[in-house]
Amino acid sequence: MTDDAPELRASDADRERVTEVLRDALAEGRLDMEEFEERLEATYKARTYGELTPITRDLPAPGAPPAVSLNKPPAVSGSWAGRIVGGEGSSSWAVAVMSGFQRKGRWTVPKRFNSFAFWGGGEIDLREANFADGEVVINCIAIMGGMSVIVPPGVEVVMRGIGIMGGFDERDHDASPDPGAPRVIVTGFAFWGGVEVQHKVTKAESRRLKEERRQDELDRRSARHELHAARDDWHRERREQREEWRRERRERRRHGDR
């Protein structure tokens, strides 16, 4: 479509392109359902480019890059400052010998946390933890066992462990940590075992994101339903108009024959 020739007649393909922009805008939350329905109705009533252009003038074209990056929400000033509390940690070590241990939930990570696992395993979960310092060390010794260190997104992780017939591994390394987020250094030794770092959101956040995705899918389905219904109504109106024109022509011809 173009603004240079607003009087040109719009085609069905032009209307379909406009409805695609409207559907994307609804799914992204730029339009609510009432606005979507109003603009959709105007789209199928439009006959020229001049009538179609204003419908999407304030919406981005499909595939256009967003003005603000949507990959990671901007950090809220002071959001991490409230979790770097200083002082001593609430737990400074953990041991598992032919068994297991967990450190998770609300706890304070000390400047240095030491852990040891022999024929066992451990989980050190920092997602809901506070931090005694802006930089903490998690020291892991795993002998024929394994440990998992779970950190929230936005935290910088530095791996400095040594593995012999074992290894230290970080999943989904976060290359752009949040400003002011703590720095976690994972060090230690693994023999016939392993230490793994995972970046994961909390279960509550995971449920919230899952619910958002579910609601987005419902909105998209509703938008597609509205789109198809409006398109069917428009095509039905066109068929009825064509049938009416045919009847009128037949009537004119019949009266003309007389």
Side-chain angles (χ1 to χ4, degrees):
M1 292 182 295
T2 176
D3 292 336
D4 297 333
E7 72 282 356
L8 288 181
R9 301 284 291 187
S11 67
D12 289 347
D14 295 324
R15 297 183 188 89
E16 289 298 329
R17 283 192 288 270
V18 172
T19 57
E20 183 69 20
V21 174
L22 295 178
R23 189 185 61 148
D24 290 345
L26 176 65
E28 294 167 359
R30 301 179 191 275
L31 297 176
D32 58 29
M33 185 58 70
E34 183 177 355
E35 292 174 310
F36 171 77
E37 292 174 350
E38 290 176 355
R39 297 194 188 199
L40 192 63
E41 182 179 2
T43 299
Y44 283 112
K45 287 183 178 180
R47 293 291 178 264
T48 65
Y49 286 154
E51 294 173 340
L52 279 178
T53 299
I55 296 174
T56 58
R57 193 186 299 277
D58 59 344
L59 299 174
V68 178
S69 173
L70 301 179
N71 292 329
K72 180 188 291 186
V76 179
S77 177
S79 60
W80 282 106
R83 295 179 61 178
I84 301 176
V85 297
E88 300 295 328
S90 56
S91 177
S92 59
W93 60 273
V95 174
V97 178
M98 294 185 287
S99 61
F101 72 80
Q102 282 187 327
R103 291 292 184 274
K104 64 179 183 178
R106 301 283 183 179
W107 66 294
T108 301
V109 185
K111 294 182 179 181
R112 184 178 181 88
F113 183 88
N114 295 303
S115 57
F116 175 80
F118 175 72
W119 277 13
E123 180 181 272
I124 305 168
D125 191 338
L126 311 182
R127 289 176 293 179
E128 298 181 24
N130 292 324
F131 298 82
D133 194 76
E135 180 175 289
V136 298
V137 176
I138 307 294
N139 184 47
C140 302
I141 307 296
I143 309 297
M144 294 183 285
M147 291 191 203
S148 176
V149 180
I150 305 174
V151 300
V155 170
E156 179 185 3
V157 175
V158 179
M159 301 291 287
R160 293 181 181 170
I162 299 173
I164 298 178
M165 292 185 288
F168 279 70
D169 179 57
E170 180 184 5
R171 291 188 181 181
D172 303 323
H173 175 72
D174 195 339
S176 55
D178 293 341
R183 188 170 186 246
V184 178
I185 300 173
V186 179
T187 186
F189 176 74
F191 177 73
W192 278 12
V195 176
E196 179 184 65
V197 175
Q198 302 179 56
H199 295 259
K200 297 170 63 176
V201 298
T202 63
K203 291 182 178 179
E205 180 67 7
S206 178
R207 287 193 296 269
R208 186 187 67 81
L209 294 173
K210 184 177 180 180
E211 177 60 25
E212 284 186 355
R213 289 192 294 269
R214 188 187 71 84
Q215 188 59 48
D216 287 344
E217 179 59 26
L218 290 176
D219 290 343
R220 283 193 292 270
R221 290 181 182 178
S222 178
R224 286 195 295 268
H225 176 76
E226 294 288 342
L227 174 63
H228 294 158
R231 185 170 56 193
D232 292 344
D233 289 342
W234 183 75
H235 284 300
R236 185 174 60 254
E237 289 177 1
R238 292 193 64 186
R239 288 195 299 270
E240 291 174 353
Q241 287 176 351
R242 286 195 294 269
E243 183 61 31
E244 180 64 25
W245 293 337
R246 292 191 186 101
R247 285 197 297 267
E248 290 178 356
R249 286 199 298 269
R250 287 196 296 268
E251 287 294 326
R252 286 196 298 269
R253 290 172 183 170
R254 187 173 61 184
H255 290 295
D257 293 342
R258 292 178 182 178

